[in-house]
Amino acid sequence: DGEVESLNSINHFQKLKRINISDEPIVNLNFEDNPDLEWVLSYSEITEHIDVTNNPNLKLLWCTSNILNSLDISNNPLLEDLNIGSDIITDINLMDNINIKKLQLGASQLTSLDLTNNILLERLIVISTQLTSLDLSYNQQLYHLVIGGNELLTELDVSTLTNLYDLNCSENNIESLDLSLNQNLSTVKLLFNNLNYLNIKNGNNEEISNIETRFNPNLLCIEVDNEVDPQPFDYSIDSQTEFSEDCSAPLPTPNPL
């Protein structure tokens, strides 16, 4: 334990295991002389480059405020927790990071994300990217999923995520979502999308605590276990949206006032 007064002297701390950085903007952050490093938490703006290629024991890397255009984490096989924010980075390679359990990306220019090898992933947050698709079929351990502010994302398949507990997919352009196979759901937030179909008929609606689907003007029907009010969960929906056990059937005409 101790305090490094200046990053200029960090090369003298070869046994350094954890570092928390909160300082003025940094151009380059290089940890090549700190091979035992396990945790890096940086709340400073990194304007060009961070080098963790000589840190094979790294388990946590948070760089939440930066304008990195690339990130090489191919030599960090033990990495479990990655949190990256960047306005420039367009791609991130996670193929060698098979132990990642927590991943948070706020990368406004990110156009692709391959999670094929990240089968231990439990928590995923993807905010404000340029993604048009996201394959989660290999991430069956996911229980916490936040996909928000991705305006080009129109579809999402979560049918293989049987452990999914918290789902927040607000402020995208998702048109259809089937949650009928997600029997462990507790919270569902789908505000500000373009939904015209939503199925939460999972046989376990009594375990759901809250559903929010407001600001989906095309969503007329939500398929549920039992359409009779009151629903077992709290909900916030648009005025035109109804609950039904079969959304393929015509909705009943409301009684005139």
Side-chain angles (χ1 to χ4, degrees):
D1 294 337
E3 183 174 322
V4 180
E5 294 185 359
S6 171
L7 289 176
N8 294 328
S9 62
I10 197 171
N11 60 307
H12 298 301
F13 295 83
Q14 296 183 1
K15 297 298 181 181
L16 186 68
K17 289 191 174 183
R18 298 191 179 195
I19 187 167
N20 188 331
I21 305 167
S22 180
D23 206 342
E24 296 298 320
I26 303 167
V27 176
N28 291 298
L29 195 54
N30 193 324
F31 295 110
E32 64 178 349
D33 295 317
N34 314 104
D36 294 336
L37 199 60
E38 295 179 0
W39 282 42
V40 176
L41 290 95
S42 173
Y43 301 101
S44 298
E45 183 177 275
I46 305 170
T47 59
E48 289 188 10
H49 183 63
I50 178 171
D51 189 343
V52 289
T53 56
N54 196 37
N55 309 109
N57 297 319
L58 193 66
K59 294 182 179 180
L60 181 147
L61 176 60
W62 282 29
C63 297
T64 59
S65 177
N66 60 71
I67 51 177
L68 296 175
N69 56 21
S70 64
L71 177 66
D72 183 356
I73 49 175
S74 59
N75 292 332
N76 311 113
L78 301 182
L79 192 63
E80 296 181 356
D81 191 339
L82 177 64
N83 186 338
I84 298 296
S86 172
D87 291 332
I88 295 181
I89 196 167
T90 60
D91 181 53
I92 184 167
N93 189 336
L94 303 172
M95 298 301 288
D96 297 310
N97 309 106
I98 61 174
N99 287 298
I100 283 187
K101 294 182 179 180
K102 300 178 182 179
L103 176 62
Q104 180 166 338
L105 298 173
S108 61
Q109 300 303 313
L110 188 71
T111 58
S112 64
L113 182 61
D114 188 343
L115 301 174
T116 304
N117 282 8
N118 311 114
I119 61 175
L120 300 181
L121 193 63
E122 297 176 347
R123 296 173 59 90
L124 175 64
I125 300 175
V126 180
I127 303 293
S128 300
T129 71
Q130 299 297 311
L131 293 178
T132 58
S133 63
L134 183 61
D135 183 358
L136 301 175
S137 60
Y138 295 90
N139 313 113
Q140 298 177 17
Q141 300 303 313
L142 270 175
Y143 67 85
H144 179 84
L145 179 62
V146 178
I147 309 291
N150 304 281
E151 295 182 356
L152 301 180
L153 191 65
T154 60
E155 60 183 10
L156 187 68
D157 185 352
V158 294
S159 59
T160 61
L161 307 183
T162 56
N163 292 317
L164 192 61
Y165 185 80
D166 293 317
L167 175 65
N168 187 341
C169 289
S170 297
E171 299 185 49
N172 306 289
N173 265 307
I174 296 173
E175 298 175 357
S176 175
L177 191 60
D178 188 344
L179 303 177
S180 60
L181 298 180
N182 308 105
Q183 296 185 347
N184 291 308
L185 278 174
S186 176
T187 59
V188 178
K189 295 184 179 180
L190 301 167
L191 305 166
F192 293 101
N193 276 281
N194 195 26
L195 286 171
N196 55 54
Y197 175 80
L198 176 59
N199 186 348
I200 59 170
K201 189 176 183 179
N202 65 359
N204 205 21
N205 282 180
E206 291 185 357
E207 295 301 315
I208 298 176
S209 62
N210 184 50
I211 290 177
E212 298 183 36
T213 65
R214 288 181 300 128
F215 308 106
N216 283 279
N218 297 320
L219 184 62
L220 303 180
C221 181
I222 300 175
E223 198 156 330
V224 293
D225 290 346
N226 191 335
E227 63 192 32
V228 179
D229 278 331
Q231 291 296 322
F233 45 78
D234 294 330
Y235 59 86
S236 177
I237 63 177
D238 291 320
S239 59
Q240 83 283 354
T241 307
E242 302 284 348
F243 293 112
S244 174
E245 294 171 35
D246 183 5
C247 283
S248 64
L251 291 175
T253 303
N255 294 325
L257 296 177

